[in-house]
Each structure stands twice: as C-alpha cells, then as structure tokens.
C-alpha cells in the first residue's frame, strides 16, 4: 500500500458583494469572500491538499481563474472533479483535516454542517472529515478582519 500526505492553503479577502460560502455552506455574515469562483477557501485548500498528495498539480492548474467557465462556480464542482480524478488514478481518501483562520464570523455553529457537506461530496464517512477554526487574536490580515484563510491536509491511499 502507498500512503501520501498533501497540504493545501487558500486565502480570500472579504467583499460586501457576495455571500460567505465555506465548505459549501452559506454562512450568515455581512461580507462574503472575493474570488473568481464562489471563493470557498475551505474547499480550495482541501482540493489543493488532495491534488498535492497525488502529485497532480494544484487548483490553479485545473481551474485557472482566467477561464470564464469557472466564474462564480460553486467550489463543490472542483471537489467532485478532484474526487473523480483521484479515483481514475486509483487513489482513495483516508481523511481530510482543515483549519479555518478567521476572527469573524464565529464558525463553531456551522462546523458540523460543513463536515457533513464535505463528507457527502468527498464520499467519505463523517469521521474522515475534520474542520476546526482559529482566530489570530487580532494579528495579521485575518485579525484585522480583512479576510479568511484555510489550511488543509489530506491522506491518500493506493
């Protein structure tokens, strides 16, 4: 058996022009995230972690922001594509773990819905999907409430 670990990272600035979508869940907040697609930093980081573990490039190679096809698309499209690509390469996902970095809004009321949504789209059991949230105690861009970042790791098995 071959086991590989991948890491991913994504960050988006806040904007008043759209809803806040994280892990495929719309979260009530006065700001959303700016980006070419729906700017779901959680899914983007997870996709990068999965692609990285399989040595299949990164999200920008598969879904370039200059390509109009991906404009305002839900990031679950990227997730489904990545799961299919991994299957074609005979990889199975062992688990994913993501950490959201944000001062606001509070993530804890939404974590279980995020986990369930990701588990469904990744075709995993709930215990294979972890999401946590952290603040920066006022430090950096996240602490100044300028945006949200997400770190992710994924384990693949073949």
């Amino acid at each position: 058996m071959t086991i590989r670990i991948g890491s991913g990272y994504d960050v988006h600035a806040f904007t008043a022009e759209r809803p806040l979508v994280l892990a495929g869940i719309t979260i009530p907040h006065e700001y959303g995230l700016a980006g070419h697609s729906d700017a779901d930093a959680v899914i983007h980081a997870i996709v990068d972690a999965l692609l990285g573990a399989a040595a299949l490039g990164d999200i920008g190679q598969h879904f370039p922001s200059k390509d109009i096809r991906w404009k305002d698309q839900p990031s679950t499209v990227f997730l489904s594509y990545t799961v299919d690509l991994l299957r074609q390469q005979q990889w199975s996902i062992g688990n994913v773990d993501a950490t959201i970095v944000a001062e606001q809004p509070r993530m804890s009321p939404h974590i279980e819905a995020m986990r369930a949504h990701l588990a469904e789209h990744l075709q995993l059991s709930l215990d294979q999907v972890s999401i946590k949230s952290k603040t920066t105690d006022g430090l950096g861009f996240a602490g100044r409430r300028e945006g949200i970042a997400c770190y992710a790791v994924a384990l693949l098995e073949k």
Side-chain angles (χ1 to χ4, degrees), residues 10-152:
D10 196 47
V11 62
H12 288 277
F14 280 125
T15 183
E17 301 171 10
R18 60 192 323 180
L20 177 60
V21 178
L22 294 171
I25 301 299
T26 300
I27 297 172
H29 191 55
E30 61 186 310
Y31 298 109
L33 296 174
H36 186 69
S37 64
D38 65 0
D40 186 329
V42 176
I43 289 180
H44 294 182
I46 290 171
V47 166
D48 260 352
L50 292 167
L51 291 170
L56 294 171
D58 65 28
I59 195 168
Q61 289 173 288
H62 293 269
F63 307 100
S65 60
K66 294 179 182 176
D67 189 332
I68 193 69
R69 289 180 298 168
W70 311 124
K71 178 79 172 134
D72 297 325
Q73 288 296 309
S75 294
T76 51
V77 170
F78 307 157
L79 204 54
S80 295
Y81 168 92
T82 302
V83 168
D84 290 343
L85 183 61
L86 292 173
R87 273 216 184 89
Q88 291 169 20
Q89 301 287 321
Q90 300 178 349
W91 289 107
S92 63
I93 302 169
N95 73 300
V96 296
D97 181 18
T99 303
I100 302 166
V101 181
E103 292 292 319
Q104 289 185 341
R106 277 189 56 73
M107 297 295 158
S108 57
H110 311 286
I111 295 292
E112 291 309 311
M114 290 182 199
R115 289 180 63 217
H117 189 263
L118 288 174
E120 178 184 338
H121 284 275
L122 290 165
Q123 300 168 21
L124 299 174
S125 63
L126 192 58
D127 69 346
Q128 291 174 282
V129 178
S130 174
I131 300 178
K132 307 168 301 295
S133 64
K134 304 291 178 199
T135 68
T136 63
D137 293 326
L139 299 174
F141 78 90
R144 291 187 301 270
R145 300 176 178 149
E146 296 171 4
I148 291 178
C150 186
Y151 296 88

